[in-house]
Amino acid sequence: MEISREAILRKTHYGLNIYAHVLRHYYQGETVLSLSGRDCKPAKNPFNADKPTLMVKVVDGIATHTYTEEAIAQGNVFDFASLHFSLEGQALLDKINEELYLRIGKERGFYHQEETQPAVAIPEIQKPTPPVFSYFKKPVSNVKPSRQVSLIEVYHLIKGNDFASCTSTLRNISEPKDARKYKAQNFDYVTFSGSFSKRNDANLQRHSGLLTIDFDHIEDIPTLKQSLLNDHYFETELLFVSPSGDGLKWVIPIDLTQAKHQDYFKAVANYVSHTYQLEVDQSGKDISRACFLPHDTEIFINPKYI
């Protein structure tokens, strides 16, 4: 299936997300675009000695750029992406689809037909509301949530330094029994699948529409991480290395109008076994399953939220 420019623009806020994605390669940790309506404040230009000469705005449904010093020709987002990726035409569109995990042309879960892109005018795009769920303070024996948090909040907590010390300490404990005890006593945790008045399935207040898949004792984490991000069926919401450092936590969306939580878990577990020849932690079948929050600077969140 050939990917169209229109399909990409529909999923990248007219292409503004593509500008941001490219600029983050050059200016990691910085705010690369400041959006005001459909225009942006002057941004650093990696193709002009990092000077703040890049002017980005949306014109007729597509993000475009001009340069106050005319270091390179003005153009649109695809021209800018071509400078970065050194690709053109369909190869460039395929690369953008892959790099930004747009999943255009891929199926979305077991219960959905292949995604299609109707030829209609690009609508005003709003960021989706991130799922919310319960947050619990350590130790794990505490079953009363302290508050509700969103996926974005957890992303920043894991990426930041809040859990750096306890994660480092845990990974330096060689005795498995001692490590389990330390983790249970020293890590805050969440229930990704929902909000609870008390942590057990009977006290579920609202399901978040998320399912967590645990991969333990993985030999090649980078390869599995990339495979999951490019999975044919499931869109990744959050993906990070487990507190122990030898596993992955894969958070994916599920549609509870199509199947129950437990049925989804069984289907996904079977799919993972068949596709990746890996067994998943069976505790994921419980809606109230606790997930400890580690430190991981390379945590992935679905770009649609940021």
Side-chain angles (χ1 to χ4, degrees):
M1 173 183 174
E2 285 199 356
I3 297 167
S4 69
R5 288 188 172 199
E6 290 75 16
I8 288 177
L9 293 175
R10 243 191 307 274
K11 301 194 75 170
T12 59
H13 205 148
Y14 310 102
L16 290 174
N17 290 350
I18 300 173
Y19 278 108
H21 178 83
V22 171
L23 292 172
R24 279 196 294 268
H25 278 273
Y26 299 95
Y27 311 116
Q28 295 183 14
E30 298 182 25
T31 299
V32 292
L33 282 181
S34 296
L35 182 63
S36 177
R38 293 192 176 192
D39 294 349
C40 297
K41 297 178 181 178
K44 287 184 180 179
N45 181 2
F47 308 110
N48 187 26
D50 300 328
K51 296 179 182 178
T53 59
L54 179 65
M55 308 293 292
V56 177
K57 63 180 179 179
V58 176
V59 178
D60 295 329
I62 183 171
T64 62
H65 59 263
T66 57
Y67 296 96
T68 57
E69 294 185 356
E70 299 184 353
I72 57 177
Q74 66 180 32
N76 62 38
V77 63
F78 298 105
D79 300 320
F80 190 76
S82 181
L83 290 172
H84 173 68
F85 293 116
S86 299
L87 294 171
E88 295 182 354
Q90 192 61 47
L92 175 63
L93 302 185
D94 290 340
K95 183 65 173 179
I96 292 171
N97 188 36
E98 176 188 347
E99 280 275 321
L100 273 71
Y101 304 105
L102 302 180
R103 300 177 60 82
I104 298 171
K106 291 192 176 185
E107 296 178 32
R108 295 171 62 84
F110 293 136
Y111 302 101
H112 293 271
Q113 298 299 316
E114 186 165 337
E115 202 175 325
T116 59
Q117 298 294 336
V120 296
I122 298 172
E124 191 71 37
I125 299 173
Q126 299 293 330
K127 287 182 183 179
T129 301
V132 296
F133 36 82
S134 291
Y135 184 100
F136 299 77
K137 301 293 289 184
K138 61 186 178 183
V140 74
S141 57
N142 166 42
V143 295
K144 297 287 288 185
S146 62
R147 58 191 173 104
Q148 282 193 337
V149 290
S150 71
L151 201 68
I152 284 282
E153 290 177 83
V154 168
Y155 164 75
H156 287 298
L157 283 171
I158 293 175
K159 191 175 181 68
N161 292 319
D162 296 68
F163 309 119
S165 178
C166 59
T167 300
S168 176
T169 299
L170 175 66
R171 293 177 183 176
N172 283 303
I173 299 174
S174 57
E175 176 58 45
K177 183 178 179 181
D178 293 337
R180 285 193 298 271
K181 183 177 179 180
Y182 180 85
K183 182 169 63 175
Q185 293 293 322
N186 293 278
F187 281 80
D188 290 356
Y189 68 94
V190 296
T191 48
F192 277 117
S193 289
S195 299
F196 297 83
S197 57
K198 184 179 180 181
R199 190 174 68 84
N200 61 59
D201 286 8
N203 290 105
L204 174 68
Q205 294 177 319
R206 184 176 183 180
H207 201 289
S208 66
L210 298 176
L211 178 70
T212 306
I213 301 297
D214 257 352
F215 297 93
D216 297 324
H217 312 301
I218 303 301
E219 293 183 1
D220 189 349
I221 286 179
T223 297
L224 177 59
K225 183 175 182 179
Q226 196 61 40
S227 295
L228 295 175
L229 290 175
N230 288 306
D231 187 83
H232 184 68
Y233 284 103
F234 295 102
E235 184 176 14
T236 300
E237 296 287 82
L238 205 66
L239 182 63
F240 57 94
V241 176
S242 63
S244 62
D246 66 349
L248 283 173
K249 309 286 187 180
W250 189 33
V251 183
I252 60 175
I254 59 176
D255 184 355
L256 295 175
T257 66
Q258 301 294 328
K260 296 179 180 179
H261 178 103
Q262 289 80 5
D263 293 333
Y264 253 108
F265 178 81
K266 292 176 184 177
V268 175
N270 288 334
Y271 170 76
V272 165
S273 178
H274 175 77
T275 305
Y276 302 108
Q277 290 74 55
L278 293 171
E279 298 302 317
V280 302
D281 188 335
Q282 291 298 307
S283 65
K285 68 180 183 296
D286 299 326
I287 303 174
S288 58
R289 177 191 175 280
C291 184
F292 295 109
L293 301 179
H295 173 64
D296 180 6
T297 58
E298 300 300 317
I299 182 175
F300 171 90
I301 189 170
N302 194 310
K304 66 187 179 186
Y305 295 118
I306 56 175

